[in-house]
Amino acid sequence: MTDLTSLGVKEIRDGVARGDFTAREVAEAFNAAVAEAAALNAFIVTTPDHALAAADKVDAARAAGETLGKMAGVPIGMKDLFATHGVQTTAASHILEGFTPRYESTVSQKLWDAGAGMLGKLNLDQFAMGSSNETSYFGNVASPWKKAGSNAAMSPGGSSGGSSAAVAARIAPAATGTDTGGSIRQPAAFTGICGIKPTYGRCSRWGIVAFASSLDQAGPMARSVEDCAIMLGAMAGFDPKDSTSLQMDVPDWEAALNADLRGKKVGIPREYRMEGTDQAILDSWEQGKAWLKDAGAEIVDVSLPHTKYALPAYYIVAPAEASSNLARYDGVRYGLRDLPEGVGLQDMYAATRAAGFGDEVKRRILIGTYVLSAGFYDAYYTQAQKVRALVARDFARAFEECDVILAPTTPTASFPLGSMNEDPLTMYLNDVFAVPASLAGLPAMSVPATINADGLPLGLQLVGKPFDEQGVLNAGLAIQQRAGFSAKPEKWW
Amino acid sequence: MSNYRIQGATGEWEVVIGLEVHAQVTSNAKLFSGAATAFGAEPNAQVSLVDAAMPGMLPVPNRECIRQAVRTGMAIEAQINAWSRFDRKNYFYADLPQGYQISQLYHPIVGEGSLLIEADEKAGIPEDKVIGIERIHVEQDAGKLMHDQHPTMSYVDLNRSGVALMEIVSKPDMRSPAEAGAYLRKLRAILRYVGSCDGNMEEGSMRADVNVSVRKAGEPFGTRTETKNVNSVRFVMQAIEHEAMRQVDVLESGGTIVQETRLFDPGTGTTRTMRSKEDAHDYRYFPDPDLLPLVLEDDFLAECRASLPELPDAKRKRYVEVLGLTPYNARELTAEVETFARFETLLAETAKATGKDDTAVATQVANWSLSVAPGVLKALGDEADPANATATAQAAILAMADKAEISGGQAKEIFEIVLRTGRDPNEIAETEGLKQVSDTGAIEAAVDAIIAANADKVEQYRAGKEALFGFFVGQTMKAMQGKANPQLVNQLLKAKLG
Amino acid sequence: MSVDKATVAKIASLARIRMDDAALEQMVPELNGILQWVEQLGEVDVTGIEPMAAVIPNTLRLRDDVVDADPLTGGGKREDVLANAPAAEHGFFGVPKVIE
């Protein structure tokens, strides 16, 4: 029998439906793989029973001849930013350690309703703040990839680093991610997998620990474009509990997948040709153009003049929102309480938050607090929101000339853990290509393109018009078919 | 102009007052969650995951709360902003689970409007005055802290957390406690007419933050203090008086007023510095990214306008100009929703019962409603069952009086019996003999007998001693056991006496 | 604009994060690095541009005034909201005594 853990979402779902294997066999195989992979530190908690129970339900439903869900029999990893009923939900922070929600996030509920099961809660950068998965209170996640000739632990990217590591290591066929400024795409690129952030509002934010409300979007991370299309279909949909949720039907992305790009125009934004970008990345971008041309698309130059300002605007808007969103972690209703002897309420807050938040979280809360404070609001926040409007306008104008935009996902390949910690800015710059689409709320995807000279994966990014996940997925599929990316990390864990 | 002044050692001081009224919007569910708003529930029984700010919870606004704020804005003839949005006001406190209050700073739903307070000499308001209203915005209420249940802990109850409030911000246009009191009473009446707030100050449905400063005539505004959460008209007036005096004392003894938040102590009628919110001045307002801009469609606005009732000022004017009531009666009848509602029901019933126009019976109904009926009710005390005072019963009494079938005294007597027993007024009049005699023959006979028996007085009367007319009336009424129709008695006496 | 230690201390206090001297000292250059970098936004000509109000053009949806219409956002959740509380007594959350 095939190694079940080598299978992806579609293969598992179809295999279970056909009776090639049972959902329970799949769940058991992945539970075992998860148990063996503790060295990756991809999971904060594992939930083998959840996976088995979901599998048994699917097997029983199949035996009873019932129609199976879109994700029936597929055990997945759940980023620990999604509230899960009865299962500790921490956002990788000490301040939420032990917090056990009595509710289920909309997205995770939709996945369970579609027949998926949960292998465990995946590690991440604390409160999704980070690009290397080194800010988790529960320890760094190690990428399953190693640089050729080195044994140094590599970054799986962030913030969805537990997700990317688990999927790349084949200890989960797919995982949820969330993307605020690249947190799905950058880790996907670092680990040679696919990940799509849909249009802002496609996936409900209800029950997802908030980082920056106007940017946060959930999306799937898996090893193929098809798997992403399937899983996104299960995750997306209007939710009346989220005021920013899009009130529109979810297309059948899987059914409409089509790599024939004849008649489509692919835009190449000239401002993405930035200093400090690896030559290998630039080469893979060129290769990407060739692949899409081969798929029938016309390649056109487009301009996104405010690209350079997207990242600084993001580093005002996101921390500002975060400083407010994270005010609720105060030691009163849940999570950590640090109450030194004899102190009052306000000192309890300060002590709790000092003990509960990690350094990067504190840094961003302080920036956010500063830019919103009296006298600075207009100079920083209002200006940043205006620049953000310009970034969005750039895309709108570019999309008058093209259907989808092709760009690198990241300026570099993965780097060793601990190598970028000197200056927070260096780390921020890793999201330079990912952030513009986040600011504009656009659907964007990373697909693996190639391996660099160090044996590390590189990704290509596709950015689409609002609501046009299909266009992004189709272009992604065209690249996937031509790239033939089959590299996988050597098992060392 | 208000002539209210504080007499200080250095001269007269003028008081400048602005009020920020927090009015709980009448709605079934909270502003951003589906939890109930009813008063008096068990602690934390009416709390949703959203109100408790559990991780990942999101706000979705309640249409009714928005609608009521818009209707209130229309009632004070304010600018309605078809594009508004919610902002977060950030501060840390145990009654504020999110660490921010969702409010509206930059783009409130209602802009400038105004409210008229009426002249009331007795209260020290010499003439009508228009008080400007700066804005109305919608925001969340906070929870409640209890400090006396545990030796070292305060307890937090989030039942009120997330209940919708309208904050109605006046301009600093008031110059005396009386004006502030009149403003609050008028605002409360408008809110209750519109139905957007029940105005129940005891249950906290309406509270005022009182901004007070003092200045010498002609000088710019002084530094103000804000006394928080004052929950009755009387307390607001007391707080202003105390705070103005205190400020004058401070200034006259060479001190300066600190812009600060104060608390009112109803026990002593004084204000004091509030310690807990001293450092919370930088609220870092910014648009709530969980909520999109609120855009009000024309249909929505049209429905809001169409659903507005006749408002106090218009009603008062109509009562005077159309119904012919005195300005005093008109003001009394329109001050409270219950009062005008009872009046208008009784007016309609009476018009029906008499077959006359509203205008023909309005004065009678007004007098009955404002003085006769309350007098009878009060005199009866516990013996009265107010439920028996139906509009139908009272209209039947008023109709009998209108047709002169009963006298004013009889009307009261009948109403007394109605209140005690709930019996039918017409039946009471018949069986209890409480009807006037309008039988000309019987009265004529009595008049003739009295004229015959008092020939001397008739002589004197005819000689010009007209005061004696009363004597003949009295004698006739006595002979008729008080039941004769006084108009007929007058007519007949006049005719017979010549 | 750049921040000094006193400013960082003030921000930390506003944000209710206790920081000792060493932590403040360390934070000053980090924040200044970030702030100097974001200040390049000042170069952008934003004449006539409104700050972004909604990422994807969309307006606020309003919900009906119905109590507990959706159990997930309705009331009556005392057990659920108190379940994770560090201090809960008699149906209340407990906090160190506050003097108002």
Side-chain angles (χ1 to χ4, degrees), chain B residues 227 238-239 242-243 246 262-272:
Chain B
T227 305
Q238 275 180 15
H242 175 269
E243 185 53 22
R246 187 191 69 85
R262 300 181 67 85
L263 276 182
F264 177 72
D265 180 348
T268 59
T270 59
T271 66
R272 63 173 169 87

Side-chain angles (χ1 to χ4, degrees), chain A residues 24-340:
Chain A
R24 189 173 181 92
E25 286 165 349
V26 176
E28 282 171 346
F30 278 104
N31 281 340
V34 167
E36 277 175 26
L40 297 173
N41 199 29
F43 286 90
I44 294 174
V45 293
T46 57
T47 55
D49 293 343
H50 189 291
L52 291 176
D56 288 346
K57 243 171 98 180
V58 168
D59 287 335
R62 183 180 175 274
E66 292 167 22
T67 313
L68 299 181
K70 284 181 182 170
M71 294 282 292
V74 183
I76 59 165
M78 184 61 62
K79 187 177 183 181
D80 199 20
L81 206 60
F82 294 79
T84 43
H85 196 291
V87 178
Q88 177 186 259
T89 300
T90 65
S93 179
H94 184 37
I95 209 161
L96 274 175
E97 194 171 7
F99 170 63
T100 309
R102 298 282 193 101
Y103 52 97
E104 186 76 35
S105 80
T106 298
V107 164
S108 55
Q109 186 62 52
K110 286 172 87 78
L111 285 164
W112 314 147
D113 292 346
M118 178 164 67
L119 296 164
K121 300 296 290 287
L122 291 160
N123 207 343
L124 65 149
D125 275 304
Q126 192 168 145
F127 282 103
M129 297 175 187
S131 306
S132 61
N133 223 116
E134 293 171 285
T135 71
S136 168
Y137 177 72
F138 302 96
N140 298 344
V141 176
S143 171
W145 296 87
K146 299 266 187 185
K147 205 167 174 171
S150 163
N151 203 31
M154 302 297 290
S155 168
S159 69
S160 309
S163 307
S164 62
V167 174
R170 273 78 175 160
I171 62 174
T176 56
T178 62
D179 191 318
T180 303
S183 280
I184 286 175
R185 291 161 284 157
Q186 185 256 19
F190 273 22
T191 56
I193 66 167
C194 297
I196 180 167
K197 173 196 99 68
T199 309
Y200 181 81
R202 271 286 188 207
C203 289
S204 169
R205 294 183 296 114
W206 196 87
I208 302 176
V209 173
F211 164 12
S213 308
S214 74
L215 294 150
D216 296 345
Q217 259 303 288
M221 299 171 76
R223 287 190 306 273
S224 74
V225 172
E226 295 90 334
D227 286 0
C228 283
I230 294 168
M231 187 160 158
L232 182 60
M235 294 167 73
F238 172 63
D239 181 2
K241 300 189 295 302
D242 175 357
S243 292
T244 59
S245 176
L246 289 172
Q247 197 160 6
M248 56 200 303
D249 291 337
V250 176
D252 188 342
W253 290 305
E254 180 194 6
L257 277 175
N258 178 6
D260 181 352
L261 301 185
R262 277 174 298 180
K264 299 287 178 194
K265 289 180 178 169
V266 173
I268 307 297
R270 63 180 74 101
E271 291 79 6
Y272 277 53
R273 212 162 265 288
M274 276 183 197
E275 242 178 273
T277 306
D278 285 356
Q279 187 55 46
I281 299 267
L282 295 174
D283 292 347
S284 76
W285 193 8
E286 285 305 314
Q287 181 62 62
K289 280 195 245 179
W291 285 329
L292 292 177
K293 208 168 162 185
D294 181 59
E298 182 189 340
I299 306 298
V300 296
D301 270 349
V302 294
S303 175
L304 299 170
H306 296 90
T307 297
K308 172 184 169 196
Y309 300 106
L311 200 57
Y314 172 87
Y315 272 96
I316 290 173
V317 173
E321 293 182 11
S323 71
S324 178
N325 281 336
L326 270 59
R328 66 188 55 197
Y329 306 103
D330 60 6
V332 175
R333 296 165 314 286
Y334 40 76
L336 181 72
R337 168 179 290 194
D338 188 350
L339 182 57

